Amino acid sequence: MTDEHLGQNQNVKPNMSTDPPDAAMKSLADALRVSFKLLSFIMVLFVVLFLATGIESVEQKELGIVKVFGKVTGIAKPGLTYNWPFPIGEIELVKTQERRLSIENFWLFELAAERGRKLSARRRGEGGLKPGQEGYLMTADRSLIHMKFDCTYRVQNPLAFKSKLSNPEEVLRSVLCEQAVAAAAVRTADALQSKHEEFFREIKEKAQIQLDELMGVTPGETRGIVITNVLLPQGQRAKTWPLAAYTAYEQAQNAKSDKEKKINKAMADATKILVGTAGANCSRALVGDPARLGGVKPEDLEEGQDYDLIGQYSSVQDQLQMLKSSGGKPEIIAKYEKQSKVLLGKIDGNLTSATTGGEVVEIIKNAETAKTKVIQNAAKRGNTFDKLYADYTKAPQLFLETEWANTIDQIFAEPTVVKNYITIGKDGTVLRIDQDPRIKKEIRDYNRKQSSGN
Amino acid sequence: MKKHIGIIILAMLVLLTLLLYTVAFTVDETRDIVLITKFGEVKRVYTGTQDAGLHFKWPAPVERVVRLDSRGHDLKSVYKQTSTQKQMQVMVSTFCTWRIKKPVRFIKAKKDITGVEASIRSLLGTQMTSVVGGYDMESLVNTNAKDMKLQEIAAKIKDGLEDKLLQEYGIEIMTLGIDALGLPESVSAAVIENMKKEREKEAQNYVSQGEAVATAIVGRAKAASNKILAFADRKAKDIETQGEAEAAKAYSKFEEDPQFGMFLRSMDTLRKTFKDRTTFVLDSDMIPALHWLRQKPSLDVYPSQVK
């Protein structure tokens, strides 16, 4: 039935409404009208929905490849984008945020129950490593090492990322494994353990070159994938020796650590000895760094800095001795003697410097004190001689006796001097000497103090 | 009729779209190789890089669309045991990235991607065994990077496969590499045993070296300290000698009367030597004054005369 027919039905006279067939027609017409309207609405809704398929929201850290009938027409940046509706147009979204790929191909076989357990506490199977089950790297010294690492990367050029490889992440994994095998094959196991940063750097650089080739990227072009880092996973043990050899490696590691501790302690002791002898600066200037392993290179020293003067002096002296015994040229001998003198002057300068410390200071100080004392005593005696000589010349014998008696008096007047007088008889005399306990105690204290001072 | 013209157009559009589906097809620039076959025979080939966009064909069953992925596919070989030139047993695994180079050949091989990959894997295993057998262990692992030939081995495996794969399956290898290198279980057991022994030896070396180096360091420091002290003593003696030289100048006054000078010096020495903590045991006759303890004074006798 057409709309016109429906329109004609609407024009039916009201007096005919009582006619049952006309009422049925009207009811049918109403139902058809409603259905048609509903159908129209649904169709319009479908059209709207169809058109809406062209709207795409590109999130931050995303890019969209815009295609019309499969042909790429542009790259959509973050924001709301409209393209032709599907299936005419399509926007393929690619995440550009940094992603992490874990490479566990070279890691040991772990039972789920053992995962959280320390390696040292794990079951250590005897025998070899099962191929295909236990991953490891073989090193240049034919050792085996388990290792896992992470690769962080991001998509820079979404078109290259999507159009060159069907599964870029799997290819990236294969390339990283290949480079890890090659990089381990030219390194010793110890180098791999201790210098893993260098190992990872090599993997990263070579894997990037390989990926660029695979994605047809020439230098200067934006890359499909940019490897941002290759590193050990955080917060977990990521490299170890095979568990069967674990104890031996631990023992070796402990022994190495002990060795380092012993050497460090010895170096500290050596420094203490030298600081105690002459202070840090003076001892370095005089004997260098005898505790330093491998010696000191000239470039480590500041310009004009005194270093190992005694060593230099000794070698100059050796040269001199050799020259003298072999009849060397006088001018060369003179040159060495001059050099020797200069070095000795520098040594003396350091020994008496204000920055010198330790025993040397005491030795020099004692010598200075002794020097002063000798001079003062001599001066005092000279003065006494001058003062008394005139009296002596007047009555020499009387002066001598008086002076002698005065001296004896002075000695005996000292409170700690003990005097025991005896009269020697004709028969044998037995002498029992017992000192004043206070003096004995004083002597004991003095001796104790002296011995503890040494 | 006019009232519903929109709906009619829309209905016709829907009808047209449905018709288009049977005769039109798109070629995706990023991934497609499209082959149009007519009763099973390839008639036209479209590649995404050159022919991306909308295309038409006769509706099925006259012409049909066969769509292939133009991108590189990753494939891993089996981890396989093989022998080196000197009959050492090693385990090697390779991977390759391949793509369809000749789509018609690929279709004629009557294989899907899974089937082709099985064939590649098989060929890869055979070729790898043949190539690795021409190298010794030192070419696989070596501290000298120039002597390590893993890349060369991979290149040879690739060269050996390329022609065959292209001719038979219409595919090319984009890259090929060795992604795992190991040892059979029995060999790895021996290697691990050797590693253990080496480490035990190393541990012993560390212990003895630690002692020796530490002793040497302290020894060197003590020797250096003694040298410094020897030079300090020499300097101290110099200083004292200077003092004595200056003192000698003061003692020159004694030359006027050496005997008197020496007497004064002796008295001085006595005073200093017996200054304190000295015990004297003396004959009472030695001190004339003690005479007055035993005897009343008399002007006739002077104490100095008393013996």
Side-chain angles (χ1 to χ4, degrees):
Chain A
M1 189 177 286
T2 64
D3 286 352
E4 281 177 23
H5 292 133
L6 289 169
Q8 282 167 359
N9 289 341
Q10 282 168 352
N11 292 331
V12 173
K13 295 276 191 307
N15 61 349
M16 291 176 74
S17 61
T18 53
D19 190 358
D22 285 348
M25 285 297 286
K26 185 178 179 294
S27 172
L28 180 63
D30 287 346
L32 282 170
R33 200 181 303 117
V34 170
S35 303
F36 186 78
K37 278 183 180 171
L38 192 67
L39 190 67
S40 304
F41 175 74
I42 290 167
M43 286 184 79
V44 169
L45 190 70
F46 269 113
V47 170
V48 170
L49 286 174
F50 169 68
L51 293 174
T53 58
I55 301 170
E56 189 64 74
S57 171
V58 182
E59 301 292 326
Q60 286 298 321
K61 296 186 177 174
E62 261 185 359
L63 288 172
I65 302 170
V66 183
K67 298 179 199 171
V68 177
F69 290 124
K71 191 175 177 64
V72 176
T73 56
I75 301 294
K77 290 182 176 169
L80 206 61
T81 305
Y82 188 76
N83 190 22
W84 285 88
F86 184 82
I88 301 165
E90 186 194 353
I91 296 177
E92 195 173 0
L93 297 174
V94 180
K95 302 271 182 204
T96 55
Q97 73 204 36
E98 193 167 80
R99 307 181 201 194
R100 187 174 287 263
L101 180 67
S102 293
I103 307 293
E104 298 199 356
N105 300 40
F106 310 111
W107 192 236
L108 50 89
F109 174 71
E110 291 176 308
L111 291 170
E114 287 185 325
R115 286 240 161 112
R117 207 180 292 169
K118 279 184 177 178
L119 291 173
S120 55
R122 290 192 191 181
R123 178 185 54 83
R124 291 160 200 203
E126 289 304 314
L129 301 170
K130 287 186 174 57
Q133 192 180 52
E134 300 257 23
Y136 56 86
L137 286 164
M138 189 154 72
T139 59
D141 54 350
R142 297 186 197 180
S143 288
L144 310 175
I145 185 168
H146 299 292
M147 185 181 268
K148 57 181 168 181
F149 56 89
D150 285 353
C151 168
T152 54
Y153 70 96
R154 62 188 166 77
V155 176
Q156 197 175 42
N157 179 348
L159 199 55
F161 179 73
K162 282 284 178 185
S163 66
K164 301 294 179 184
L165 300 166
S166 63
N167 190 344
E169 196 160 84
E170 270 313 298
V171 174
L172 174 60
R173 181 187 298 280
S174 297
V175 167
L176 287 168
C177 288
E178 182 195 2
Q179 295 310 333
V181 167
V186 292
R187 284 172 169 79
T188 62
D190 284 335
L192 207 57
Q193 275 278 14
S194 58
K195 295 175 185 170
H196 62 264
E197 291 89 356
E198 198 185 296
F199 170 72
F200 289 146
R201 195 162 44 246
E202 186 177 327
I203 294 175
K204 182 190 161 196
E205 286 170 5
K206 292 192 171 169
Q208 183 68 67
I209 292 168
Q210 210 173 345
L211 275 180
D212 288 349
E213 281 173 9
L214 280 170
M215 293 193 171
V217 177
T218 52
E221 281 184 346
T222 51
R223 289 167 161 150
I225 286 177
V226 177
I227 299 174
T228 49
N229 210 351
V230 177
L231 69 172
L232 286 177
Q234 295 290 311
Q236 54 179 304
R237 186 76 185 257
K239 50 181 181 165
T240 181
W241 311 104
L243 290 183
Y246 193 84
T247 309
Y249 273 86
E250 245 183 356
Q251 280 168 356
Q253 203 57 38
N254 291 342
K256 190 180 178 186
S257 169
D258 284 348
K259 177 191 163 186
E260 280 162 10
K261 276 183 199 161
K262 273 181 193 164
I263 291 173
N264 288 340
K265 189 184 175 297
M267 286 170 89
D269 288 347
T271 306
K272 201 174 166 186
I273 289 169
L274 292 171
V275 169
T277 305
N281 291 337
C282 178
S283 59
R284 191 164 195 266
L286 294 176
V287 292
D289 289 319
R292 183 162 167 171
L293 298 172
V296 172
K297 292 172 189 166
E299 56 266 30
D300 295 338
L301 300 172
E302 288 170 25
E303 205 179 323
Q305 187 187 3
D306 286 340
Y307 187 80
D308 193 18
L309 292 169
I310 292 177
Q312 291 179 47
Y313 177 77
S314 301
S315 58
V316 170
Q317 285 294 312
D318 291 346
Q319 287 284 337
L320 258 176
Q321 207 174 348
M322 201 178 74
L323 283 167
K324 281 177 182 170
S325 60
S326 63
K329 287 182 180 174
E331 58 267 26
I332 297 174
I333 292 173
K335 185 186 149 195
Y336 275 102
E337 276 174 344
K338 192 181 169 190
Q339 205 176 341
S340 167
K341 205 174 168 185
V342 170
L343 284 167
L344 200 57
K346 283 186 176 180
I347 291 169
D348 285 350
N350 274 288
L351 287 169
T352 53
S353 155
T355 57
T356 305
E359 277 184 76
V360 167
V361 170
E362 287 302 311
I363 291 169
I364 301 297
K365 203 169 132 188
N366 288 343
E368 293 285 358
T369 309
K371 177 187 169 187
T372 311
K373 213 170 171 183
V374 166
I375 293 169
Q376 280 175 349
N377 281 344
K380 196 177 159 192
R381 281 172 184 154
N383 291 339
T384 310
F385 184 92
D386 287 344
K387 208 168 85 182
L388 301 178
Y389 191 60
D391 293 341
Y392 166 71
T393 48
K394 282 177 197 166
Q397 186 57 38
L398 180 63
F399 184 87
L400 292 180
E401 283 186 17
T402 310
E403 191 61 22
W404 173 77
N406 285 344
T407 303
I408 298 296
D409 285 351
Q410 271 181 30
I411 293 167
F412 287 177
E414 289 291 336
T416 59
V417 170
V418 179
K419 287 86 57 182
N420 297 294
Y421 297 101
I422 57 166
T423 303
I424 310 294
K426 285 178 185 171
D427 301 324
T429 304
V430 176
L431 183 63
R432 183 172 177 274
I433 299 169
D434 195 8
Q435 284 179 327
D436 183 339
R438 284 173 303 172
I439 295 170
K440 278 162 74 178
K441 183 178 181 301
E442 201 179 327
I443 291 168
R444 262 200 319 274
D445 290 346
Y446 175 80
N447 288 337
R448 198 176 297 133
K449 199 175 167 186
Q450 287 293 105
S451 60
S452 67
N454 290 332
Chain B
M1 185 69 179
K2 258 185 187 175
K3 194 178 170 185
H4 304 293
I5 190 78
I7 300 296
I8 291 164
I9 290 169
L10 199 65
M12 285 177 73
L13 274 173
V14 171
L15 208 67
L16 192 68
T17 306
L18 289 171
L19 184 70
L20 270 173
Y21 258 108
T22 62
V23 297
F25 64 93
T26 59
V27 178
D28 193 310
E29 188 176 330
T30 60
R31 69 189 65 150
D32 278 348
I33 295 174
V34 176
L35 291 93
I36 303 300
T37 60
K38 193 173 187 179
F39 302 118
E41 193 181 340
V42 177
K43 288 290 172 189
R44 299 188 299 281
V45 178
Y46 301 90
T47 56
T49 49
Q50 290 172 357
D51 312 304
L54 186 68
H55 298 273
F56 298 94
K57 65 172 181 66
W58 288 105
V62 181
E63 285 189 330
R64 289 184 190 276
V65 171
V66 179
R67 208 174 281 275
L68 299 171
D69 194 334
S70 64
R71 297 172 298 178
H73 301 269
D74 184 57
L75 177 138
K76 284 176 176 44
S77 78
V78 183
Y79 197 29
K80 196 178 170 188
Q81 182 171 336
T82 187
S83 303
T84 63
Q85 200 172 34
K86 291 178 185 169
Q87 299 306 309
M88 282 195 73
Q89 297 300 303
V90 287
M91 302 289 302
V92 181
S93 159
T94 52
F95 79 97
C96 75
T97 308
W98 64 272
R99 70 179 164 202
I100 298 166
K101 174 94 171 179
K102 294 183 174 175
V104 179
R105 172 70 59 191
F106 186 84
I107 288 290
K108 281 185 179 169
K110 296 197 185 302
K111 296 215 176 194
D112 56 5
I113 285 185
T114 316
V116 165
E117 287 194 337
S119 301
I120 300 173
R121 204 169 276 123
S122 165
L123 287 169
L124 205 53
T126 313
Q127 186 64 18
M128 184 272 288
T129 307
S130 153
V131 174
V132 172
Y135 288 86
D136 53 21
M137 195 67 182
E138 284 70 33
S139 303
L140 304 180
V141 286
N142 201 312
T143 43
N144 186 351
K146 283 180 186 170
D147 294 333
M148 191 276 285
K149 309 279 186 193
L150 287 178
Q151 278 185 322
E152 188 180 300
I153 291 168
K156 276 194 178 177
I157 298 171
K158 186 180 172 224
D159 289 347
L161 290 175
E162 263 177 341
D163 278 351
K164 192 173 176 65
L165 289 173
L166 192 62
Q167 295 310 319
E168 285 189 19
Y169 305 109
I171 62 172
E172 69 165 347
I173 294 175
M174 296 165 76
T175 188
L176 188 147
I178 292 169
D179 64 347
L181 180 66
L183 300 165
E185 192 176 351
S186 57
V187 182
S188 71
V191 167
I192 291 170
E193 198 51 43
N194 193 36
M195 286 169 75
K196 276 163 76 176
K197 280 180 187 160
E198 274 181 18
R199 294 297 146 166
E200 281 159 7
K201 198 174 158 189
E202 192 181 294
Q204 283 171 355
N205 284 344
Y206 282 136
V207 171
S208 53
Q209 276 173 13
E211 292 288 349
V213 174
T215 310
I217 289 171
V218 175
R220 284 205 299 269
K222 281 182 180 166
S225 168
N226 289 338
K227 276 184 197 171
I228 295 174
L229 290 176
F231 273 83
D233 285 340
R234 185 201 56 79
K235 180 65 185 168
K237 282 200 173 64
D238 273 0
I239 294 166
E240 284 170 9
T241 308
Q242 281 169 21
E244 279 159 15
E246 282 188 45
K249 285 179 200 165
Y251 284 126
S252 64
K253 288 177 182 176
F254 287 13
E255 283 170 11
E256 209 175 320
D257 189 335
Q259 258 187 320
F260 179 61
M262 288 316 294
F263 170 76
L264 287 180
R265 174 125 199 221
S266 300
M267 292 302 108
D268 200 27
T269 305
L270 278 176
R271 272 192 293 269
K272 281 177 186 163
T273 310
F274 301 114
K275 201 170 147 190
D276 50 21
R277 293 186 190 83
T278 312
T279 301
F280 287 97
V281 179
L282 302 162
D283 182 353
S284 57
D285 288 347
M286 190 190 159
I287 310 296
L290 288 177
H291 167 78
W292 301 112
L293 285 173
R294 297 198 299 263
Q295 198 175 323
K296 286 180 183 176
S298 162
L299 291 173
D300 297 338
V301 183
Y302 184 72
S304 64
Q305 293 171 333
V306 177
K307 298 284 175 177

